[in-house]
């Protein structure tokens, strides 16, 4: 009945019910001028609500108050009740549900609402954004709970990555670091290079990356990580790889590693993309040795590419790499741009080789 009252009241006042809420249970003797201030301080979301009128409800023996917000009401942001000195008031919106929602579902919907808020959307926008029942004409009331559930399910499939346990992945290669290699074990340097690359690509939590790393270790290498975890159970994967590098890698100082990085130049006949990939391995090693800070990684990479690439290379000019050193791109963005430019240049060379120019003499002279 309260929901019908809200809709009918808004229709009579010619205002959008989606922007309004109904507060019921206000005692008859309650000061009318104090209602709006109480609502505004009850929660930050209602700080801009405006009281549009009140009506006595005979069946409840109390007043119902109509309030309007500047934009569509987000039901999950509105409390179901508002505590006052003599009891509590009930808040009704067009998206109010007839039965209480389990607490876990409420928390989930709140998180989803926060996510959509960052994108400038609300839960009420989901059915239309996802093409849910496109043939149904626009309604003044908010989508029903069933429509929300269906819309949210479709949205989650698009915006949330699969759970790490449910998505297949290629296991890391085995490494033990023992005096006698186990079957299938490779040398430490190529193992470290492959493992670092794979861990960077996996879009999973840090704890899952650490679990997968431990999963591929055996013998002395596993003992190194176990010792680290004793002092810090949440040790980062980067620190694990650094400890393994200190234990089994080449004995190089940070200055030596950084010097190799600075001396890396594009070789004759080497593609720019191949040079960047080769340079990235040296940069990662310099970072692990503490020669380069992680926060300076992109800037350091681009500066060396500008120094090490062959002079007047067209890719250097077309992508304006010198001019972008103050705001350098990430590795993935840079390598993508370079490979696309290489493909464009290769296509242009093929076109030039296949063009045939025909010249006809249309004059009377030889």
């Amino acid at each position: 009945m309260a929901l019908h009252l809200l809709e009918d009241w808004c229709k009579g006042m010619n205002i959008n019910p989606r922007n309004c809420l109904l507060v019921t249970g206000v005692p008859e003797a309650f000061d009318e001028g104090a209602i709006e201030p109480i609502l505004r301080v009850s929660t930050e979301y209602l700080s801009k609500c405006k009281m549009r009128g009140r009506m006595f409800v005979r069946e409840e023996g109390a007043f119902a108050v109509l309030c309007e917000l500047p934009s569509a009401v987000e039901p999950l942001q509105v409390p179901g009740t508002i505590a006052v000195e003599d009891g509590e008031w009930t808040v009704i919106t067009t998206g109010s549900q007839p039965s209480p929602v389990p607490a876990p579902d409420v928390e989930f919907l709140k998180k989803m609402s926060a996510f959509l808020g960052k994108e400038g959307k609300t839960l009420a926008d989901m059915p239309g954004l996802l093409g849910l029942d496109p043939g149904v004409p626009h309604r003044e009331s908010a989508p029903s709970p069933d429509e929300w559930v269906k819309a949210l399910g479709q949205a989650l499939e698009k915006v949330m990555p699969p759970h790490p346990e449910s998505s297949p992945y290629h296991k890391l290669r085995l490494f033990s670091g023992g005096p006698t290699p186990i079957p299938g074990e490779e040398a430490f340097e190529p193992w470290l290079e492959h493992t670092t690359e794979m861990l960077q690509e996996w879009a999973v939590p840090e704890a899952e990356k650490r679990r997968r790393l431990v999963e591929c270790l055996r013998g002395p290498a596993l003992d190194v990580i176990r010792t680290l975890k004793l002092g810090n159970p949440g040790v980062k994967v980067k620190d694990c790889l650094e400890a393994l590098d200190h234990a089994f890698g080449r004995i190089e100082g940070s200055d030596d590693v950084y010097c190799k990085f600075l001396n890396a130049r594009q070789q004759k006949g080497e593609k720019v993309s191949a040079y960047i990939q080769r340079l990235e391995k040296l940069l990662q090693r310099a970072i692990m040795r503490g020669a380069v800070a992680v926060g300076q990684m992109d800037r350091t990479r681009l500066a060396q590419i500008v120094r090490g690439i062959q002079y007047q290379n067209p890719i250097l000019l077309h992508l304006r790499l010198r001019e972008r050193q103050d705001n350098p791109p990430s590795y993935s963005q840079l390598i993508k741009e370079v490979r696309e430019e290489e493909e464009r240049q290769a296509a242009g060379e093929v076109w030039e080789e296949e063009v045939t120019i025909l010249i006809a003499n249309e004059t009377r002279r030889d």
Side-chain angles (χ1 to χ4, degrees), residues 117-133:
K118 294 179 181 178
E119 303 296 325
K121 303 296 181 182
T122 66
L123 290 173
D125 297 320
M126 292 305 300
L129 290 172
L130 298 174
L132 185 63
D133 293 333

Side-chain angles (χ1 to χ4, degrees), residues 116-152:
L116 293 173
K118 294 179 181 178
E119 303 296 325
K121 303 296 181 182
T122 66
L123 290 173
D125 297 320
M126 292 305 300
L129 290 172
L130 298 174
L132 185 63
D133 293 333
V136 178
H138 175 72
R139 302 167 302 181
E140 291 297 326
S141 60
S144 68
D146 290 340
E147 289 177 320
W148 273 353
V149 171
K150 184 175 181 181
L152 288 173

Side-chain angles (χ1 to χ4, degrees), residues 225-235:
I225 304 305
R226 283 175 174 168
T227 302
L228 275 181
K229 293 180 68 177
L230 286 176
N232 180 14
V235 61

